[in-house]
Amino acid sequence: MAEEVKVFRTWSSPFAFRVVWALQFKGVPYENIYEDLSEKSSLLLHYNPIHKKVPVLVHNGKPLAESLVILEYIEETWKQTPLFPEDPYERATARFWARFGDDQVLPSVFGVFIKQGKEREEAIVTAHGNLKYLEEELRGKKFFSGEKIGFLDLAFGWVANLVSVFEEIQGLTLIDHEKYPLLLAWIQNFMDDPIIKESWPPRDKLITKYQALLGSFIPKEAAEK
Amino acid sequence: MGDEVVLLDFWPSVFGMRVRIALAEKGIEYEYKDDNLRNKSDLLLKMNPVHKKVPVLIHNGKPVCESLIIVQYIDEVWKDKSPLLPSDPHQRAHARFWADFVDQKVYAVGRKLWETKREEQEAANKDFLETFKTLETELGEKPYFGGETFGFVDISLITFYSRFYLYERFGKLSMEAEFPKIVAWAKRCLQKESVANTLPDQKKIYEFHMKWFGLE
């Protein structure tokens, strides 16, 4: 059957990377369709009218949105190289941590990057409160999913490429050797994986992008004070 | 099979109700423990240390947290009866997308109706109406969100029906006038025993919220 798989994305969206990594692990050929989020294509708006966001997976003309939903779909459609645990309890646990990552960890880490002064101090405390769970989850494991990269590792992929960018721009260390030896080891193992390497956001481009983003935030915060 | 199923819940929780409906649909026997969220039990803190929230399903001693994750777990473990999710991957993804939409929007826009300051009431009402309009459009002419049978998306949303009177009072609107299809769908769902036996009376929920949030 002639499969047609397209991924609507941007070059940097951490949510889109999850989708392309999953497709790569399963050896599913796909086409990248890059969007400019300041000028969304009519096709993107047609495929994701509810949220108007990337990523969107279009499989044989049928669109799907929300990266964690897409990952489950990819797993159920292409059964080679399973990325999810087989056991329902382990699957529920993986889903729990993925949601925790998106609902709590990512916003708190982004808060550390964006905020200033006392608000940043508070954000750092919150971020550590969340990150410690990741460190605990890695106990006795090479990857969040066990011996091999799986769903939860893909969900946390942004930790491996974004956090150090935030740290460099702001001149701070969030994931330090003392508190997070396992997480740092995971980052290295994740980055070293040959399939993950096939799709990786260029670091210098990320630095430029987030520096610019910071620049656009600060005047707004100053204006709101 | 010696299954021990315990549900940590709080009776007015729309999230806990989802799990109660799923358990009832599957005919699973369980022990219900009501946890007052302003005086959390040691068991709750032990079983859900990350969020300290209900519902928590404890299956043979092992906790599962987050209502939609619990419902999926129930569907996967007790898979021989009353499937809650469709079997086709695309339809499953569709169901997960819409349940996620309910989670992202409905609770928050509902709460804003009574939490908002007067100046922001209009914006809060607008968000609320838009959210339910989207749901009404998605439902369309279907008997249930999943099509012919009651399923995952229906479970995720129907529990909010218990808050409709609350929404009407604070939003100064009529759910039936604004969203006739949603109200008809809700009444259809209420014909199911699992839903009718789970959903508390709307007035009871209204009175609870008035007391709990000191809105009187």
Side-chain angles (χ1 to χ4, degrees), chain B residues 14-201:
Chain B
V14 286
F15 305 104
M17 288 174 214
R18 290 166 167 176
V19 180
R20 283 177 249 160
I21 292 174
L23 290 165
E25 282 289 302
K26 299 274 187 182
I28 297 164
E29 279 185 28
Y30 65 99
E31 185 191 343
Y32 178 90
K33 284 191 204 268
D34 207 76
D35 216 299
N36 184 316
L37 292 182
R38 285 192 177 148
N39 192 5
K40 295 177 184 181
S41 68
D42 288 339
L43 184 62
L44 175 62
L45 299 176
K46 181 172 162 218
M47 290 288 139
N48 191 359
V50 178
H51 298 301
K52 308 176 179 49
K53 287 183 182 172
V54 293
V56 181
L57 188 82
I58 310 175
H59 184 205
N60 295 330
K62 299 198 311 194
V64 185
C65 306
E66 296 297 290
S67 61
L68 293 184
I69 292 177
I70 298 171
V71 173
Q72 285 183 85
Y73 174 79
I74 289 171
D75 201 39
E76 287 168 15
V77 173
W78 288 274
K79 55 182 185 274
D80 297 326
K81 183 183 171 177
S82 306
L84 304 174
L85 275 119
S87 49
D88 169 69
H90 191 87
Q91 285 176 23
R92 288 165 76 83
H94 201 75
R96 287 183 174 122
F97 175 88
W98 282 103
D100 176 69
F101 176 85
V102 173
D103 258 7
Q104 279 189 44
K105 303 278 190 193
V106 179
Y107 180 82
V109 298
R111 229 180 124 131
K112 275 228 168 73
L113 289 181
W114 65 82
E115 272 185 347
T116 300
K117 300 188 272 283
R118 197 160 294 152
E119 318 84 82
E120 290 161 10
Q121 190 71 43
E122 207 185 306
N125 266 50
K126 185 163 172 278
D127 279 343
F128 181 86
L129 292 170
E130 255 170 40
T131 298
F132 272 91
K133 178 96 203 303
T134 302
L135 288 165
E136 173 121 325
T137 305
E138 171 55 24
L139 178 65
E141 301 306 318
K142 305 195 292 282
Y144 300 101
F145 278 90
E148 291 305 308
T149 45
F150 180 79
F152 193 58
V153 183
D154 306 286
I155 293 176
S156 74
L157 184 61
I158 190 56
T159 62
F160 288 93
Y161 179 75
S162 62
R163 294 185 172 198
F164 278 18
Y165 182 66
L166 187 58
Y167 296 155
E168 287 180 334
R169 289 295 293 256
F170 280 95
K172 296 189 180 39
L173 49 88
S174 156
M175 292 298 283
E176 180 132 30
E178 297 284 350
F179 313 110
K181 291 189 178 136
I182 292 281
V183 173
W185 158 82
K187 292 184 175 162
R188 189 173 302 122
C189 291
L190 272 157
Q191 285 173 17
K192 297 183 72 67
E193 233 180 279
S194 60
V195 179
N197 290 345
T198 297
L199 257 47
D201 175 68

Side-chain angles (χ1 to χ4, degrees), chain A residues 66 69 72 76 89 91 95, chain B residues 63 76 92 96 100 104:
Chain A
E66 294 300 291
V69 173
E72 302 242 15
E76 290 169 5
Y89 186 77
R91 230 187 344 256
R95 286 175 179 142
Chain B
E76 287 168 15
R92 288 165 76 83
R96 287 183 174 122
D100 176 69
Q104 279 189 44

Side-chain angles (χ1 to χ4, degrees), chain A residues 26-38:
Chain A
K26 292 189 179 259
V28 177
Y30 65 93
E31 188 192 340
N32 283 313
I33 309 228
Y34 291 97
E35 284 282 325
D36 172 1
L37 294 182
S38 63

